[in-house]
Amino acid sequence: MLEAIESLPLAIYLRRDLFAYPIVNALHILSLGMLVTSAVLMDARVLGAGRAVPLDAAIGVLRPVAIAALAVALVTGALLFSVRPGEYAGNPVFLTKLGLIGLALANAGFFVFGRRHLWPESAVTRVSATVSILLWISVLFAGRAIAFFGGS
């Protein structure tokens, strides 16, 4: 299956075109930056930072940014993966990054569907926000570490 992914016309194009891969890579980094920044800002607000901005307003502005950035990060990440799927699939740091993303998204789902923003003073909500910050920052570190452990 990995060979089939690597043989896709878009994967071949990304490997051969001078500008395509760097553009997709830059969009991936930009979208991850937007995602992590918006998540950390929401979590920081839940934890009490920026009290001048109502929590619902902060979440109302930042959540759509985070969702859009996540969508772009997933698409660009899949495109980057398609260039060398065999290398990435065997890279423990890449697999760790995927696991961290899964945990961060599960935590976000717990927060959103549990409507935790309605109880910002709750210990569970505060732990969830703190864990979110740690997970998203860990995703960034893992993503950068991939280049040093067999991928780019």
Side-chain angles (χ1 to χ4, degrees), residues 77 81 85 87-99 142 145-146 149:
F81 176 81
E87 286 182 36
Y88 288 116
N91 185 322
V93 180
F94 174 75
L95 298 174
T96 298
K97 178 183 175 184
L98 292 183
I146 290 169
F149 294 97

Side-chain angles (χ1 to χ4, degrees), residues 51-123:
R51 291 185 193 272
V53 178
L55 180 58
D56 286 340
I59 290 174
V61 169
L62 294 168
R63 184 178 288 155
V65 172
I67 292 169
L70 173 64
V72 173
L74 291 173
V75 170
T76 56
L79 289 171
L80 295 173
F81 176 81
S82 75
V83 172
R84 287 183 297 228
E87 286 182 36
Y88 288 116
N91 185 322
V93 180
F94 174 75
L95 298 174
T96 298
K97 178 183 175 184
L98 292 183
L100 290 166
I101 291 169
L103 290 171
L105 292 176
N107 186 56
F110 167 77
F111 190 89
V112 170
F113 296 116
R115 303 183 50 80
R116 303 303 315 169
H117 66 283
L118 298 176
W119 302 282
E121 301 303 322
S122 156

Side-chain angles (χ1 to χ4, degrees), residues 3-147:
E3 289 175 6
I5 293 170
E6 194 169 8
S7 298
L8 292 171
L10 193 50
I12 294 168
Y13 174 74
L14 287 170
R15 279 193 303 277
R16 290 185 180 166
D17 188 81
L18 180 63
F19 298 105
Y21 185 89
I23 289 170
V24 171
N25 193 20
L27 289 172
H28 187 66
I29 292 168
L30 176 63
S31 61
L32 280 175
M34 291 174 63
L35 170 59
V36 172
T37 299
S38 56
V40 168
L41 288 173
M42 283 187 283
D43 293 326
R45 178 59 195 92
V46 166
L47 293 170
R51 291 185 193 272
V53 178
L55 180 58
D56 286 340
I59 290 174
V61 169
L62 294 168
R63 184 178 288 155
V65 172
I67 292 169
L70 173 64
V72 173
L74 291 173
V75 170
T76 56
L79 289 171
L80 295 173
F81 176 81
S82 75
V83 172
R84 287 183 297 228
E87 286 182 36
Y88 288 116
N91 185 322
V93 180
F94 174 75
L95 298 174
T96 298
K97 178 183 175 184
L98 292 183
L100 290 166
I101 291 169
L103 290 171
L105 292 176
N107 186 56
F110 167 77
F111 190 89
V112 170
F113 296 116
R115 303 183 50 80
R116 303 303 315 169
H117 66 283
L118 298 176
W119 302 282
E121 301 303 322
S122 156
V124 172
T125 299
R126 297 176 70 73
V127 167
S128 178
T130 302
V131 166
S132 175
I133 291 170
L134 295 172
L135 285 170
W136 286 117
I137 291 172
S138 296
V139 167
L140 280 183
F141 280 110
R144 294 313 311 140
I146 290 169

